[in-house]
Amino acid sequence: MPAVGLDLLDVGRLERALARRPRLGERLFTDAERALADGDVRRLAARFCAKEAVAKALRMERWSWQDVEVLGGDGPPQLRLHGGAAARADELGVAVEISLTHERTAAAAVAVAFPR
Protein backbone atom coordinates (compact mmCIF):
# COMPACT_ATOMS: atom_id res chain seq x y z
CA MET A 1 0.00 0.00 0.00
CA PRO A 2 1.50 3.38 -0.98
CA ALA A 3 2.24 5.92 1.73
CA VAL A 4 2.90 9.66 1.43
CA GLY A 5 4.97 12.02 3.56
CA LEU A 6 4.94 15.81 3.21
CA ASP A 7 6.98 18.52 4.90
CA LEU A 8 7.11 22.31 4.63
CA LEU A 9 9.72 24.61 6.20
CA ASP A 10 10.29 28.34 6.55
CA VAL A 11 13.79 28.79 5.09
CA GLY A 12 14.59 31.54 7.59
CA ARG A 13 13.94 29.17 10.48
CA LEU A 14 16.64 26.76 9.25
CA GLU A 15 18.97 29.65 8.44
CA ARG A 16 18.66 30.99 12.02
CA ALA A 17 19.16 27.52 13.53
CA LEU A 18 22.32 26.96 11.47
CA ALA A 19 23.65 30.39 12.46
CA ARG A 20 23.06 29.67 16.17
CA ARG A 21 24.53 26.17 16.02
CA PRO A 22 27.19 25.94 13.29
CA ARG A 23 27.73 22.17 13.73
CA LEU A 24 24.02 21.50 13.24
CA GLY A 25 24.58 21.34 9.49
CA GLU A 26 27.01 18.45 9.97
CA ARG A 27 24.44 16.57 12.03
CA LEU A 28 21.54 17.12 9.63
CA PHE A 29 23.26 16.81 6.26
CA THR A 30 25.88 14.55 4.73
CA ASP A 31 29.09 16.01 3.32
CA ALA A 32 27.72 15.46 -0.20
CA GLU A 33 24.47 17.26 0.60
CA ARG A 34 26.30 20.26 2.04
CA ALA A 35 28.60 20.37 -0.99
CA LEU A 36 25.65 20.26 -3.41
CA ALA A 37 23.92 23.09 -1.55
CA ASP A 38 27.01 25.25 -2.04
CA GLY A 39 25.96 27.59 0.78
CA ASP A 40 22.37 28.02 -0.48
CA VAL A 41 20.19 27.51 2.60
CA ARG A 42 17.13 27.03 0.37
CA ARG A 43 18.68 23.86 -1.05
CA LEU A 44 19.45 22.63 2.45
CA ALA A 45 15.91 23.44 3.55
CA ALA A 46 14.46 21.38 0.69
CA ARG A 47 16.70 18.46 1.68
CA PHE A 48 15.64 18.84 5.32
CA CYS A 49 12.01 18.63 4.20
CA ALA A 50 12.79 15.55 2.09
CA LYS A 51 14.31 13.78 5.10
CA GLU A 52 11.22 14.55 7.18
CA ALA A 53 8.88 13.51 4.36
CA VAL A 54 10.69 10.20 3.87
CA ALA A 55 10.54 9.45 7.60
CA LYS A 56 6.79 10.13 7.51
CA ALA A 57 6.22 7.98 4.41
CA LEU A 58 8.13 5.12 6.06
CA ARG A 59 6.27 5.73 9.34
CA MET A 60 9.54 5.94 11.25
CA GLU A 61 9.47 7.04 14.87
CA ARG A 62 13.23 7.12 15.41
CA TRP A 63 15.84 7.61 12.72
CA SER A 64 19.12 9.34 11.95
CA TRP A 65 19.30 12.38 9.69
CA GLN A 66 22.27 10.76 7.96
CA ASP A 67 20.13 7.73 7.02
CA VAL A 68 18.26 9.75 4.38
CA GLU A 69 20.52 11.36 1.78
CA VAL A 70 19.26 13.58 -1.01
CA LEU A 71 21.66 14.05 -3.90
CA GLY A 72 21.35 15.49 -7.37
CA GLY A 73 22.01 19.02 -8.48
CA ASP A 74 20.21 20.47 -11.46
CA GLY A 75 18.35 17.26 -12.34
CA PRO A 76 15.81 15.25 -10.41
CA PRO A 77 16.71 14.53 -6.79
CA GLN A 78 18.32 11.19 -6.08
CA LEU A 79 17.36 9.55 -2.80
CA ARG A 80 19.74 7.22 -1.00
CA LEU A 81 18.60 5.39 2.10
CA HIS A 82 21.12 4.12 4.63
CA GLY A 83 21.01 2.42 8.03
CA GLY A 84 17.62 2.43 9.74
CA ALA A 85 15.80 4.08 6.83
CA ALA A 86 17.05 1.45 4.38
CA ALA A 87 16.14 -1.32 6.83
CA ARG A 88 12.63 0.11 7.27
CA ALA A 89 12.07 0.35 3.50
CA ASP A 90 13.21 -3.26 3.16
CA GLU A 91 10.94 -4.33 6.03
CA LEU A 92 7.96 -2.69 4.33
CA GLY A 93 9.01 -3.89 0.87
CA VAL A 94 8.84 -0.39 -0.56
CA ALA A 95 10.82 1.97 -2.73
CA VAL A 96 10.63 5.72 -2.10
CA GLU A 97 10.53 8.60 -4.57
CA ILE A 98 10.73 12.29 -3.64
CA SER A 99 9.97 15.68 -5.10
CA LEU A 100 11.48 18.93 -3.76
CA THR A 101 10.67 22.58 -4.21
CA HIS A 102 11.85 25.85 -2.75
CA GLU A 103 11.48 29.54 -3.25
CA ARG A 104 12.85 32.54 -1.38
CA THR A 105 11.13 31.93 1.96
CA ALA A 106 9.81 28.35 1.94
CA ALA A 107 10.89 24.85 1.02
CA ALA A 108 8.84 21.68 0.73
CA ALA A 109 9.15 18.03 -0.16
CA VAL A 110 6.88 15.09 -0.83
CA ALA A 111 7.90 11.46 -0.46
CA VAL A 112 5.91 8.52 -1.80
CA ALA A 113 6.64 5.00 -0.60
CA PHE A 114 5.25 2.35 -2.94
CA PRO A 115 5.56 -1.44 -3.24
CA ARG A 116 8.62 -2.65 -5.10
Side-chain angles (χ1 to χ4, degrees):
M1 177 162 124
V4 176
L6 170 69
D7 197 61
L8 174 68
L9 178 67
D10 177 317
V11 172
R13 182 175 175 207
L14 179 63
E15 188 170 37
R16 290 186 298 276
L18 292 171
R20 280 191 314 269
R21 299 171 53 198
R23 296 191 60 108
L24 180 61
E26 294 173 15
R27 195 175 117 237
L28 297 176
F29 306 104
T30 66
D31 292 341
E33 288 172 321
R34 289 192 315 276
L36 281 169
D38 194 28
D40 185 346
V41 73
R42 295 172 305 162
R43 289 181 177 180
L44 289 176
R47 282 165 170 74
F48 180 94
C49 290
K51 291 168 184 266
E52 287 276 354
V54 168
K56 291 172 184 176
L58 293 176
R59 296 181 183 99
M60 297 184 68
E61 293 179 19
R62 294 175 43 178
W63 54 283
S64 167
W65 293 98
Q66 301 286 321
D67 285 354
V68 179
E69 186 174 35
V70 182
L71 302 174
D74 295 330
Q78 301 165 1
L79 179 64
R80 292 194 185 149
L81 301 179
H82 309 284
R88 179 67 172 158
D90 286 343
E91 176 187 333
L92 296 173
V94 298
V96 182
E97 293 288 335
I98 58 172
S99 181
L100 314 176
T101 190
H102 61 74
E103 50 93 29
R104 191 172 50 84
T105 62
V110 174
V112 178
F114 54 93
R116 287 188 210 149

